[in-house]
């Protein structure tokens, strides 16, 4: 821990400004190649001609822009019209919003939900083609995701989410697996009757179709099925009656099926399953049954909140997957048809977290990130072991020496150890350590089925470079530590997570002596925001101040008023509703606000379809009535997650609010003006602390 000799913790001059945080990096996702080019290429050793990905850029109102990168010329361009927003609203979280096949992009347009297609010129082309609609929603709320193209049958196969039934209540929304004709846009149902579908994939000869399906009250990480259809049995004119179950079940989580046709013509189905207690990679063939590609007591998968995730890749030569060691992820590769138990080889990479993993001949493509570098598009040559960064989403504009690199710590819970990432304060000034201990912000990740990961986050560095410690907690129920650990939150959301955040914070402050126990703060987003409010309510006095970003104050209201995907999520996290109504009331901070002894700031989007904005209003009014310091900032046009411009305003306000409560004098505070802002009970003399 390096301190500034002359300044108190929290008051350090930092080169990391609010603007730098919010403009630091473009959000990149959904790396793909032209699947048609892959199948027709005579030499995959040369790699793909073009790469494609999505970018969310500062100042672009959260729109997802498709990028085409020409590998030969190294030129990148936006091939679609500026106003295009390549995103899906399926499950509200989207993902799986586009696919490229034979020089044509097929994509979901967020503004109207339709699927469009547009030809793509060569990477150096400058003209933008006019996109044409494949589907014709005509104002109806129909949504599409996870698109794949079946060339031989001239159709797109994808998930459809239909919000036109009844009055649009969650239980009336219908999810199906459909085919969409590329000739007339006609939609035909291929599979129906299950509550949810995802991840359709085709064999290279177009014969087999595999997909994932699951039912209430499960989320996909609780239990799901991988199903297989032989498309040769009919002309795809109607739903299939002979759907074959391959893997999964009520208590087995499966994900990302991939069909591989071997050189001898045999078909193999790869997928991730947690049947062993951990998300491991499996292969299924008619001849040999199901085998474990590499058994390890580590998670190779992640919770499927969004469509289109790719956590491994396989072709006829190599299989690539990732899993963590001491918290940091690594890539591993093995021969695809190696004997079961063959140890994989570790791939050396500068990165520690990987997504959108793709194989194209000897080229392994992925989005990589690390604690000291922004996410990047990466091309790794398996034959030469050379890692080439194609594109970085941002450049570090400060001395790398002031970047706080986290270490994973363990702390005790009533059911064994849990984990957290600890970021200590770092400054470019050298000096003798201060006698005081730094204030610390404990962070509760969203989900709650999710995990804190150690990729570079300039919002965290914003705090550590000012003299705060930052603790990113992976409480019981977080992912990355196997099914048993993940299930420890069942029936105990609002209890186990709060206990663990409190325990982790006290462990750092009272056992490791790396934080001031009298200056602990807490923040979180969405489900993490609920943990914030619950911690302040049910463990009063531990944290002096909290910041809740679109957090949940009333879990009963959430159970009654949320979207279909999560409408039964709380049945397993708390209890079946309405049978467990009393338990929902007991877990809701809104009903126990009289216990709060700390200040609270709430940030909420007014278009949030996951957490109703009225919950933030009610929580603020309760805080106000209790005579506590509080603030509520509401944002027009924002949903469940904010754009960079809103993030900027929130971070600036949070710094001043925390400093006021913790009696810290920030070096260069920024005054925030916002039309839809309410403050209450600000103590005299602390507003401009």
């Amino acid at each position: 821990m390096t301190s500034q000799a002359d300044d108190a913790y929290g008051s350090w001059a930092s080169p990391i400004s609010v603007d730098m945080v919010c403009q630091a990096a473009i959000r990149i996702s959904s790396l793909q190649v032209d699947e048609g080019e892959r199948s027709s290429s005579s030499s995959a050793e040369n790699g793909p001609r073009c790469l494609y990905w999505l970018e969310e850029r500062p100042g672009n109102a959260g729109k997802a822009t498709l990028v085409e990168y020409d590998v030969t010329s190294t030129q990148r361009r936006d091939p679609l019209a500026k106003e295009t927003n390549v995103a899906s609203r399926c499950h509200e979280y989207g993902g799986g919003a586009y696919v490229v096949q034979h020089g044509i992009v097929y994509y979901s347009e967020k503004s109207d939900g339709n699927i469009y297609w547009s030809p793509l010129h060569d990477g150096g082309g400058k003209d933008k083609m006019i996109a044409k609609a494949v589907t014709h929603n005509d104002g109806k709320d129909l949504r599409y995701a996870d698109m794949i193209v079946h060339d031989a049958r001239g159709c797109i196969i994808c998930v459809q989410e239909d919000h036109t039934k009844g009055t649009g209540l969650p239980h009336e929304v219908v999810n199906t697996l459909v085919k969409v004709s590329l000739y007339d846009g006609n939609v035909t149902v291929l599979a129906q009757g299950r509550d949810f579908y995802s991840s359709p994939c085709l064999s290279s000869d177009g014969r087999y179709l595999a997909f994932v399906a699951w039912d209430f009250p499960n989320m996909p990480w609780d239990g799901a099925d991988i199903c297989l259809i032989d498309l040769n049995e009919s002309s795809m004119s109607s739903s299939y009656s002979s759907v074959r179950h391959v893997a999964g079940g009520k208590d087995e989580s499966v994900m990302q099926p991939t069909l591989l046709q071997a050189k001898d013509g045999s078909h193999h189905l790869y997928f991730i399953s947690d049947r062993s207690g951990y998300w491991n990679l499996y292969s299924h063939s008619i001849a040999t049954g199901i085998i474990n590609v590499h058994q390890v007591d580590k998670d190779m998968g992640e919770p499927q909140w969004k469509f289109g995730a790719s956590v491994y890749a396989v072709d006829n030569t190599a299989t690539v997957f990732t899993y963590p060691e001491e918290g940091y992820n690594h890539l591993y590769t093995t021969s695809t048809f190696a004997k079961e138990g063959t140890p994989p080889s570790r791939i050396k990479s500068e990165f520690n977290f990987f997504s959108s993993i793709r194989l194209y001949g000897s080229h392994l493509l992925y989005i990589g990130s690390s604690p000291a570098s922004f996410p990047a598009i990466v091309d790794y040559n398996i034959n030469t072991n050379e890692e080439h960064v194609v594109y970085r989403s941002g450049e570090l504009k400060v001395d790398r020496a002031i970047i706080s690199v986290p270490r994973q710590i363990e702390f005790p819970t009533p059911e064994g150890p849990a984990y957290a990432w600890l970021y200590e304060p770092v400054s470019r000034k050298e000096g003798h350590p201060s006698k005081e201990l730094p204030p610390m912000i404990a962070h509760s990740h969203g989900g709650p089925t999710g995990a804190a990961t150690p990729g570079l986050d300039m919002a965290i560095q914003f705090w550590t470079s000012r003299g705060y410690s930052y603790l990113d907690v992976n409480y019981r129920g977080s992912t990355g530590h196997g099914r048993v650990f993940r299930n420890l939150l069942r029936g105990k959301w609002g209890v186990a997570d709060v206990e663990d955040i409190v325990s982790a914070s006290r462990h750092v402050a009272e056992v490791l002596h790396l934080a001031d126990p009298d200056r602990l703060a807490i923040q979180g987003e969405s489900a993490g925001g609920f943990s914030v409010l619950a911690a302040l309510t049910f463990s009063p006095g531990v944290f002096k101040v909290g910041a809740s970003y679109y957090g949940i104050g009333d879990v009963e209201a959430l159970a009654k008023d949320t979207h279909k995907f999560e409408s039964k999520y709380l049945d397993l996290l708390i209890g079946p509703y309405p049978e467990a109504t009393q338990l929902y009331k007991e877990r809701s901070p809104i009903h126990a606000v009289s216990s709060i002894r700390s200040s609270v700031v709430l940030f909420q989007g007014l278009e949030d379809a996951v957490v109703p904005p009225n919950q933030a209003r009610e929580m603020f009014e309760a805080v106000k009535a209790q005579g506590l310091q509080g603030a509520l900032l509401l944002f027009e046009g924002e949903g469940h997650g904010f754009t960079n411009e809103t993030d900027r305003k929130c971070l600036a306000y949070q710094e001043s609010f925390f400093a006021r409560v913790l009696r810290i004098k920030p070096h260069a505070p920024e005054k925030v003006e916002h039309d839809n802002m309410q403050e209450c009970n600000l103590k005299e003399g602390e507003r401009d602390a």
Side-chain angles (χ1 to χ4, degrees):
M1 184 187 302
T2 304
S3 77
Q4 293 195 10
D6 301 324
D7 298 329
Y9 285 115
S11 300
W12 296 353
S14 169
I16 302 176
S17 65
V18 173
D19 284 333
M20 183 182 293
V21 171
C22 296
Q23 297 176 6
I26 295 167
R27 296 175 184 173
I28 56 176
S29 63
S30 304
L31 173 64
Q32 295 195 32
V33 297
D34 186 327
E35 293 300 326
E37 176 189 294
R38 178 206 299 271
S39 62
S40 61
S41 175
S42 60
S43 176
E45 294 302 312
N46 295 325
R49 291 189 303 162
C50 292
L51 303 180
Y52 302 90
W53 63 85
L54 297 180
E55 293 187 354
E56 293 181 44
R57 300 164 179 166
N60 201 28
K63 287 184 177 179
T65 300
L66 180 68
V67 175
E68 179 186 69
Y69 175 86
D70 185 285
V71 174
T72 302
S73 68
T74 70
Q75 297 297 307
R76 57 193 299 273
R77 71 182 186 108
D78 302 346
L80 301 176
K82 184 177 181 180
E83 63 272 14
T84 304
N85 190 358
V86 183
S88 170
R89 293 175 58 218
C90 276
H91 293 181
E92 299 299 335
Y93 296 105
Y98 81 100
V99 63
V100 179
Q101 190 96 339
H102 298 303
I104 297 175
V105 60
Y106 304 89
Y107 66 92
S108 166
E109 166 56 51
K110 187 174 184 179
S111 62
D112 62 12
N114 277 312
I115 298 174
Y116 288 81
W117 70 274
S118 177
L120 298 168
H121 290 176
D122 290 339
K126 297 180 180 179
D127 295 335
K128 290 181 171 64
M129 303 297 290
I130 298 176
K132 298 180 180 180
V134 176
T135 57
H136 305 282
N137 289 350
D138 298 324
K140 297 178 181 178
D141 192 356
L142 298 169
R143 309 173 186 184
Y144 302 91
D146 261 4
M147 293 170 282
I148 56 175
V149 180
H150 196 310
D151 284 330
R153 300 183 185 258
C155 67
I156 292 171
I157 298 174
C158 62
V159 174
Q160 183 192 69
E161 188 170 275
D162 185 348
H163 290 248
T164 67
K165 312 296 183 183
T167 59
L169 293 174
H171 70 274
E172 296 173 325
V173 174
V174 177
N175 292 66
T176 52
L177 193 68
V178 302
K179 73 159 187 171
V180 181
S181 171
L182 293 175
Y183 305 112
D184 57 15
N186 184 54
V187 177
T188 303
V189 174
L190 297 178
Q192 61 184 336
R194 306 295 297 270
D195 290 320
F196 298 98
Y197 296 88
S198 74
S199 312
C201 66
L202 284 167
S203 57
S204 58
D205 61 1
R207 176 178 177 179
Y208 290 105
L209 170 68
F211 57 90
V212 176
W214 69 97
D215 296 309
F216 287 134
N218 275 353
M219 300 296 282
W221 47 82
D222 295 314
D225 299 301
I226 289 180
C227 304
L228 188 69
I229 295 175
D230 187 341
L231 297 179
N232 284 354
E233 70 175 23
S234 78
S235 60
M236 294 179 67
S237 60
S238 61
S239 298
Y240 284 80
S241 57
S242 56
V243 176
R244 175 182 172 188
H245 177 270
V246 175
K250 183 180 178 181
D251 297 308
E252 179 185 353
S253 172
V254 290
M255 69 184 76
Q256 197 189 329
T258 302
L259 283 160
L260 177 68
Q261 187 171 5
K263 294 178 180 179
D264 63 4
S266 60
H267 292 87
H268 302 259
L269 176 61
Y270 286 75
F271 58 92
I272 297 283
S273 167
D274 69 353
R275 62 180 55 190
S276 70
Y278 293 87
W279 277 320
N280 279 191
L281 181 60
Y282 292 82
S283 172
H284 168 82
S285 73
I286 296 175
T288 62
I290 295 177
I291 65 167
N292 184 223
V293 173
H294 178 60
Q295 185 171 353
V296 60
D297 289 346
K298 307 285 184 180
D299 275 337
M300 299 180 185
E302 61 187 27
Q304 301 296 282
W305 281 101
K306 293 187 175 185
F307 294 97
S310 181
V311 297
Y312 73 93
V314 59
D315 64 15
N316 271 309
T317 301
T319 301
V320 179
F321 44 84
T322 178
Y323 59 82
E325 292 285 352
E326 298 182 350
Y328 287 99
N329 278 15
H330 303 284
L331 284 169
Y332 297 86
T333 183
T334 185
S335 174
T336 293
F337 296 107
K339 292 182 179 179
E340 184 174 5
T342 301
S345 300
R346 180 167 157 180
I347 293 174
K348 293 182 179 180
S349 172
E350 71 168 273
F351 302 100
N352 308 109
F353 189 77
F354 308 90
S355 62
S356 288
I357 300 172
R358 313 281 179 187
L359 266 173
Y360 192 102
S362 61
H363 294 261
L364 172 62
L365 308 165
Y366 49 86
I367 298 175
S369 60
S370 77
S373 61
F374 291 110
I377 305 294
V378 184
D379 181 350
Y380 183 94
N381 191 304
I382 293 177
N383 291 341
T384 64
N385 297 320
E386 294 176 316
E387 186 174 51
H388 170 61
V389 175
V390 173
Y391 170 73
R392 292 189 186 274
S393 61
E395 294 297 330
L396 195 60
K397 297 179 180 178
V398 297
D399 187 343
R400 190 176 293 265
I402 74 161
I403 296 298
S404 179
V405 175
R407 59 187 173 102
Q408 184 173 251
I409 65 167
E410 286 189 8
F411 60 90
T413 81
E415 298 175 285
Y419 311 90
W421 292 102
L422 176 61
Y423 298 77
E424 296 185 57
V426 176
S427 167
R428 60 185 174 186
K429 280 189 178 181
E430 297 292 340
H432 298 291
S434 171
K435 293 181 180 179
E436 67 173 345
L437 290 170
M440 184 176 75
I441 299 172
H443 177 251
S444 177
H445 64 71
T449 307
T453 56
L456 178 61
D457 185 340
M458 294 304 289
I460 295 177
Q461 304 301 324
F462 174 89
W463 296 106
T464 57
S465 64
R466 282 162 170 74
Y468 288 79
S469 286
Y470 194 96
L471 187 67
D472 219 353
V473 183
N474 279 319
Y475 46 76
R476 282 170 288 167
S478 301
T479 57
H481 302 279
R483 185 180 183 92
V484 171
F485 189 83
R486 193 166 75 244
N487 285 350
L488 290 177
L489 198 61
R490 284 191 173 186
K492 293 180 288 187
W493 188 39
V495 177
D497 51 322
V498 172
E499 288 177 349
D500 291 0
I501 296 166
V502 169
S503 177
S505 300
R506 285 178 167 163
H507 182 78
V508 173
E510 299 170 8
V511 178
L512 301 181
H513 303 292
L514 294 174
D516 185 343
D518 294 323
R519 292 193 294 171
L520 299 179
I522 184 171
Q523 75 173 68
E525 308 79 32
S526 187
F530 165 70
S531 298
V532 168
L533 298 175
L536 297 177
T537 303
F538 303 120
S539 296
V542 175
F543 301 101
K544 291 295 184 284
V545 61
S548 171
Y549 286 76
Y550 35 93
I552 302 154
D554 185 346
V555 290
E556 183 184 8
L558 181 66
K560 294 190 294 185
D561 184 15
T562 191
H563 58 115
K564 179 185 177 182
F565 181 58
E566 293 184 84
S567 61
K568 297 295 182 181
Y569 188 19
L570 303 190
D571 282 21
L572 293 178
L573 291 176
I574 297 177
Y577 187 84
E579 294 85 346
T581 296
Q582 184 57 38
L583 190 56
Y584 278 74
K585 293 183 182 298
E586 293 172 1
R587 298 279 177 89
S588 297
I590 194 72
H591 299 307
V593 72
S594 61
S595 300
I596 295 182
R597 299 290 181 269
S598 307
S599 303
V600 186
V601 56
L602 304 118
F603 304 102
Q604 178 68 46
L606 291 174
E607 308 300 323
D608 195 331
V610 179
V611 179
N614 196 48
Q615 291 199 23
R617 294 189 183 97
E618 291 182 7
M619 196 71 199
F620 174 77
E621 290 302 324
V623 169
K624 181 179 179 180
Q626 185 68 10
L628 300 168
Q629 295 184 85
L632 170 64
L633 281 74
L634 299 171
F635 298 94
E636 295 280 354
E638 292 285 13
H640 199 66
F642 294 158
T643 59
N644 283 20
E645 293 79 5
T646 298
D647 280 337
R648 182 195 184 286
K649 187 171 288 188
C650 293
L651 181 58
Y653 188 87
Q654 183 182 337
E655 182 193 17
S656 64
F657 190 87
F658 275 23
R660 180 169 63 225
V661 175
L662 298 175
R663 296 186 177 276
I664 292 170
K665 188 173 183 179
H667 180 78
E670 181 177 328
K671 187 175 182 180
V672 175
E673 300 288 347
H674 184 59
D675 292 338
N676 205 342
M677 176 171 67
Q678 301 178 62
E679 297 173 314
C680 66
N681 307 313
L682 300 185
K683 293 183 180 180
E684 187 68 26
E686 294 189 355
R687 176 185 290 275
D688 300 315

